[in-house]
Amino acid sequence: MHDTKMMEKIENGAGFIAALDQSGGSTPKALKGYGVNEDAYSNDDEMFALIHGMRSRIITAPSFNGDKVIGAILFEKTMDGDADGKPVPTLLWERGVVPFLKVDKGLEDEADGVQMMKPMPELGALLERAKANGVFGTKMRSVINLASPTGIAAIVKQQFEVAGQILDHGLMPMIEPEVNIKSAERAQCDAILLEEIKKQLDALPEDRKVMLKLSIPTKANLYEPLVEHPRVARVVALSGGFSRDEACAELAKNRGMIASFSRALLQDLRDPMTDEEFDQALGSAIDQIHKASTVKA
């Protein structure tokens, strides 16, 4: 059973979801963008301590609260860590921000135009820990590179199968079959993906809902049938490599979709900033992304 207050915030909150879930593979790039080069750490533990410091600085900043940020996706080590002397999920919800957890273990090599999720043999134990820590939902990513009907069908099927396991543990799954925005077949990928997701949604029992995290479609409002589907709690958009200005401009064209940005949210934040400068830059990003999520062209 989902927490009713968190469910209300996610389904109806006027805001967006921050993606603070960079994994081991993407952490060096995130740190470099923050102004911390690889010579600042000598092993994974030091690297993760630095990225945790960055995330802690974000979620404790005055501008980061539930007024405009309705949720935040965490990396596993962040979920297990503290910020401001409190467990991160606890602190987030005290600030009105619903906590989510990234649960996938990365991507398989491309086959049939897509990259499936790697096996997750320890998923059950992770879900139990997340639930005990006060986490509301999960996020898992796979990638679509080509307009392969069989590949896209397989990727959506895998996502919904794992979503069933997540729902069984009382958590809300955020399904993320990302369409590569650099794909020459992006528009065709979007169209095939829409139909495959609708098939899976229509097969869900009436008492079950999922969230969808999708690339912003090439055709504005293409995903409106998913926004309006009774089995969907919320449709969120990833920035997918767009700059914040580009991502916000595209998102504003799509009714009902809200942001779940990572790089586009963090792109102006730097380690040497004073706390005041940091909060000002973060607040400016939050305002821009919130507007694109709530005010539609």
Side-chain angles (χ1 to χ4, degrees):
M1 186 71 182
H2 303 303
D3 181 289
T4 53
K5 289 183 179 178
M6 291 187 182
M7 188 71 169
E8 169 66 20
K9 183 109 188 186
I10 289 304
E11 286 195 296
N12 301 310
F16 69 94
I17 295 174
L20 306 175
D21 60 330
Q22 296 89 356
S23 59
S26 56
T27 294
K29 188 174 181 180
L31 282 172
K32 189 172 183 179
Y34 183 52
V36 177
N37 292 319
E38 292 186 26
D39 59 7
Y41 51 90
S42 56
N43 55 49
D44 283 355
D45 287 342
E46 292 178 3
M47 177 183 74
F48 284 122
L50 288 167
I51 198 76
H52 182 73
M54 181 190 82
R55 291 167 177 154
S56 297
R57 195 178 185 189
I58 292 165
I59 65 177
T60 57
S63 59
F64 194 92
N65 59 66
D67 292 344
K68 294 180 179 178
V69 183
I70 64 171
I73 306 168
L74 307 174
F75 183 55
E76 186 177 341
K77 286 182 179 291
T78 309
M79 176 190 74
D80 292 334
D82 290 351
D84 207 16
K86 297 177 181 179
V88 170
T90 301
L91 177 68
L92 283 171
W93 185 230
E94 284 181 359
R95 302 187 68 146
V97 179
V98 178
F100 289 81
L101 174 68
K102 167 188 161 68
V103 296
D104 68 84
K105 298 301 180 185
L107 301 171
E108 301 277 19
D109 292 336
E110 183 178 326
D112 198 11
V114 301
Q115 290 175 271
M116 304 278 280
M117 295 183 291
K118 288 181 177 177
M120 294 175 263
E122 299 174 0
L123 179 61
L126 178 59
L127 295 174
E128 289 175 12
R129 205 166 87 240
K131 187 75 174 176
N133 284 343
V135 168
F136 172 76
T138 65
K139 190 215 77 166
M140 49 191 175
R141 171 178 173 263
S142 40
V143 174
I144 297 166
N145 294 311
L146 298 172
S148 163
T150 52
I152 295 173
I155 223 170
V156 174
K157 182 173 184 285
Q158 182 192 39
Q159 283 272 358
F160 273 84
E161 285 175 348
V162 179
Q165 186 178 351
I166 292 163
L167 285 162
D168 288 344
H169 281 78
L171 294 163
M172 170 62 70
M174 188 187 299
I175 290 168
E176 185 185 10
E178 174 183 349
V179 173
N180 184 344
I181 63 167
K182 296 179 180 177
S183 171
E185 301 174 350
R186 184 177 155 210
Q188 301 97 303
C189 292
D190 291 344
I192 298 168
L193 179 62
L194 171 64
E195 294 307 314
E196 290 300 325
I197 291 176
K198 285 199 297 188
K199 288 178 194 174
Q200 293 289 340
L201 289 173
D202 290 343
L204 280 180
E206 289 186 8
D207 62 344
R208 295 203 148 187
K209 287 186 176 183
V210 299
M211 293 174 66
L212 300 170
K213 180 167 179 172
L214 306 173
S215 302
I216 302 170
T218 51
K219 180 183 177 184
N221 296 311
L222 177 72
Y223 293 140
E224 201 160 18
L226 304 179
V227 173
E228 297 173 349
H229 199 287
R231 302 281 88 75
V232 176
R234 206 74 190 251
V235 179
V236 306
L238 58 107
S239 50
F242 284 129
S243 69
R244 184 165 66 245
D245 287 348
E246 291 170 326
C248 287
E250 291 301 309
L251 177 61
K253 300 174 185 176
N254 288 272
R255 290 185 295 273
M257 287 186 85
I258 66 171
S260 178
F261 294 170
S262 176
R263 280 168 291 183
L265 172 65
L266 311 179
Q267 68 182 37
D268 295 335
L269 304 181
R270 300 293 181 271
D271 181 48
M273 287 177 165
T274 65
D275 288 345
E276 185 178 355
E277 290 169 339
F278 185 90
D279 187 56
Q280 187 174 18
L282 178 61
S284 178
I286 287 172
D287 288 346
Q288 185 180 0
I289 297 168
H290 176 266
K291 182 177 180 181
S293 297
T294 57
V295 181
K296 299 300 179 178

